[in-house]
Amino acid sequence: MMRTRPLKVALLGCGVVGSEVTRIMTTHADDLAQRIGAPVELAGVAVRRPSKVREGIDPSLVTTDATALVKRGDIDVVVEVIGGIEPARSLITTAFEHGASVVSANKALLAQDGAALHAAAEEHGRDLYYEAAVAGAIPLIRPLRESLAGDKVNRVLGIVNGTTNFILDKMDSTGAGYQEALDEATALGYAEADPTADVEGFDAAAKAAILAGIAFHTRVRLDDVYREGMAEVTAADFRSAKEMGCTIKLLAICERAADGESVTARVHPAMIPLTHPLASVRGAYNAVFVESDAAGQLMFYGPGAGGAPTASAVLGDLVAVCRNRLNGATGPGESSYAALPVSPMGEVVTRYHISLDVADKPGVLAQVATVFAEHGVSIDTVRQQGKDGEASLVVVTHRASDASLTGTVEALRKLDTVRGVASIMRVEGE
């Protein structure tokens, strides 16, 4: 039976995503009401520039006083799409205190203060949903939090930033350098005027923290995530990758240790075999590969950003939260019972591709191999090319810890026959 009194929604932010949320709420109002069991009504929109014309929004709903809006007491759900830490954090906690549940797309805030926000939601008996915070339209949070709740997730490996994937895809397919590919991404609108958050891995690291926390039932903060940007990736790295039957992606990797007693979360460029499903993810698309005990290998793929895709995820959460509201219930909250420690990057074990500039003379390979052996790093393959007294030596290792590899490289730099370390890149997705 349809309830006639509408559920009231307050929207914080009306940019690219917020405007799409209002459009969908308006154009699909009847369908949303049927799915929820009651109509939803936009009760207020908090913005910074009230004079801007916003198509389809009653100007009387627009306000610059976001705090007053979330304090009204008659608001059922607050949708937060303003981003950043403050005032978003204060507005969300105030919304809980005044009886509203919250739908958020704020990855940075959730990665930094997710535990406190979940605690506030639980204290006041309200929902906190955030499907849109990771991978845009791709259903990922809910499958990890609900569909796989009875399984044991061991690894989450993903491309969670469309800007970086577009840049690396261009470098791979055209042979372009990093700056050239970045300039094209900026011209096409895939990269911001200041692309730092994307290309330095901050955006992906926030998403990795959220994914790791949900997948492993452990609190993982942004500070726990190792982060390495992609500005140092070169066309030469892609040539080396192709020789190995690989490509290069900026990956978010969340893993449970083999003994199950700890987890790791990291973001960095890595070579990945062309046979791996993630290698075929092109352009600005996102994809996440999940490995679990019972379900095995699962892949989630789709547009990871943009107004309409992100709004789709927001509206999915809005429907779920409104249904809970009607039923007097709440959905899943934070699951951190495992409380596993997050291991430092030095303990992470993976394969490595190391390119060295060396003197082209007898005995160099033996010296290099000795250094690897002394640091307990086993070599898988070696390739050497030389001309006019100089040579390049490419070493691919078996699995080794980051700490042991770091020690190996430091020792290599001290050899008279090693002119320099051209590049070091991890190899993932075996």
Side-chain angles (χ1 to χ4, degrees), residues 277-330:
L278 289 179
S280 62
V281 178
R282 318 296 293 188
Y285 275 74
N286 284 193
V288 177
F289 200 72
V290 178
E291 300 174 11
S292 67
D293 276 1
Q297 297 179 333
L298 306 171
M299 182 160 155
F300 302 83
Y301 169 84
T310 306
S312 171
V314 170
L315 267 294
D317 279 351
L318 180 63
V319 168
V321 170
C322 286
R323 286 172 176 169
N324 292 342
R325 190 83 170 186
L326 287 179
N327 294 325
T330 55

Side-chain angles (χ1 to χ4, degrees), residues 141-157:
I141 301 294
R142 193 170 288 117
L144 283 173
R145 189 161 65 172
E146 299 178 31
S147 303
L148 295 173
D151 204 344
K152 179 183 178 183
V153 176
N154 296 309
R155 195 176 199 219
V156 180
L157 176 75

Side-chain angles (χ1 to χ4, degrees), residues 155 157-159 165 168 172 237-238 240-242 244-253 268-282 287 289 291 299 350-351 353 425-430:
R155 195 176 199 219
L157 176 75
I159 299 164
N165 199 57
L168 292 173
D172 185 24
D237 291 328
F238 273 99
S240 293
K242 287 181 179 180
M244 289 181 58
C246 294
T247 187
I248 298 171
K249 300 290 185 182
L250 184 75
L251 298 177
I253 306 167
H268 54 71
M271 294 182 179
I272 189 166
L274 294 176
T275 53
H276 194 283
L278 289 179
S280 62
V281 178
R282 318 296 293 188
F289 200 72
E291 300 174 11
M299 182 160 155
T350 188
R351 296 174 67 207
H353 176 282
M425 191 165 294
R426 296 169 184 87
V427 183
E428 301 285 349
E430 298 173 74

Side-chain angles (χ1 to χ4, degrees), residues 227-247:
R227 177 192 55 79
E228 186 180 311
M230 51 175 273
E232 300 303 317
V233 177
T234 66
D237 291 328
F238 273 99
R239 290 193 292 271
S240 293
K242 287 181 179 180
E243 291 174 356
M244 289 181 58
C246 294
T247 187

